[in-house]
Amino acid sequence: MLKIIAGKYKSRIINQPPKSTTRPTINRAREAIFSSIQFSVENKKFLDLFSGSSSFCLEALSRGAKLGVSIEKDHEAYLVSLENKSILGENNLCIFNTDAISYLNKIVNEKFDYIYLDPPYKIFNIINNCLEIIFSKKILNKDGIIIIETNKKTLELNNLSHYQMVKTKKYGNIYIYYLKYINNL
């Protein structure tokens, strides 16, 4: 069961896609992520590139974010995201049924304050591609944060030269990595 943790939708239950197609972020990890950024959520723009149910963006919007953009390639999960948007009546959530790379490649002059990367664990290498596009197109605001969720104890990325790791947290078998541009490019 997925539940919004805090804010205007606190305790509201949202639908989740079948576990055969997605792996939802556990409530405890999502709560910890938002606790770590709680004072900088209001009026910010959030992008979730592997959104599943859109719980990450819905949590952000519940806490006062200005905009949430959910990207989900799996059609069943996309439909669940649309249902969740409707259940909460959230107008500031944009949902796209496409893959992360295609979406990032189409962005023109759009910037986000928080970008969440939580791909299926078996395709972890897609994170490298996403980070390269995010950097080359300057999609992250200069003080923005990229949050990566994975089951990897060590974040093995091809090219971290554009980014600095600012924090790492562990929740059970889940590792959360926080990255920023080096020198706030």
Side-chain angles (χ1 to χ4, degrees):
M1 173 174 68
L2 285 175
K3 190 187 293 190
I4 302 296
I5 298 158
K8 66 183 177 183
Y9 303 131
K10 182 179 180 177
S11 300
R12 297 279 304 270
I13 295 171
I14 58 173
N15 297 322
Q16 68 183 40
K19 290 184 179 176
S20 60
T21 59
T22 64
R23 176 196 32 79
T25 298
I26 60 173
N27 287 338
R28 186 174 72 137
R30 190 164 26 94
E31 182 175 11
I33 290 168
F34 278 95
S35 290
S36 70
I37 62 172
Q38 68 182 338
F39 299 114
S40 62
V41 171
E42 198 163 329
N43 293 314
K44 300 293 189 205
K45 294 168 64 177
F46 284 73
L47 172 62
D48 183 353
L49 291 169
F50 304 88
S51 69
S53 66
S54 291
S55 64
F56 184 77
C57 284
L58 288 168
E59 186 72 44
L61 291 164
S62 181
R63 294 170 184 244
K66 178 185 352 182
L67 175 71
V69 176
S70 293
I71 308 304
E72 180 53 58
K73 162 174 116 165
D74 181 82
H75 191 69
E76 283 184 67
Y78 165 75
L79 293 175
V80 169
S81 286
L82 291 175
E83 289 172 13
N84 288 335
K85 177 180 178 174
S86 178
I87 288 168
L88 298 178
E90 183 52 66
N91 294 324
N92 294 329
L93 177 64
C94 302
I95 305 167
F96 298 97
N97 190 196
T98 188
D99 66 277
I101 299 298
S102 295
Y103 177 79
L104 289 172
N105 281 323
K106 289 178 186 173
I107 289 179
V108 177
N109 297 324
E110 182 76 37
K111 292 188 180 288
F112 293 91
D113 300 292
Y114 291 95
I115 300 175
Y116 187 56
L117 297 168
D118 178 21
Y121 292 159
K122 64 185 178 196
I123 61 165
F124 178 80
N125 286 337
I126 197 167
I127 290 176
N128 289 308
N129 298 337
C130 290
L131 289 174
E132 283 301 319
I133 297 168
I134 290 166
F135 177 76
S136 68
K137 296 182 87 175
K138 301 293 186 249
I139 295 169
L140 184 67
N141 273 327
K142 72 174 192 141
D143 293 322
I145 296 176
I146 296 173
I147 302 168
I148 299 172
E149 178 184 332
T150 182
N151 63 346
K152 306 273 187 212
K153 186 175 184 176
T154 306
L155 194 60
E156 298 173 13
L157 300 173
N158 291 343
N159 189 353
L160 264 178
S161 65
H162 310 306
Y163 299 98
Q164 64 182 349
M165 185 93 56
V166 291
K167 187 184 335 185
T168 304
K169 294 287 184 181
K170 182 179 188 281
Y171 305 98
N173 296 339
I174 297 170
Y175 294 87
I176 309 289
Y177 299 94
Y178 298 76
L179 290 94
K180 285 185 150 192
Y181 286 144
I182 289 180
N183 300 321
N184 293 327
L185 297 171

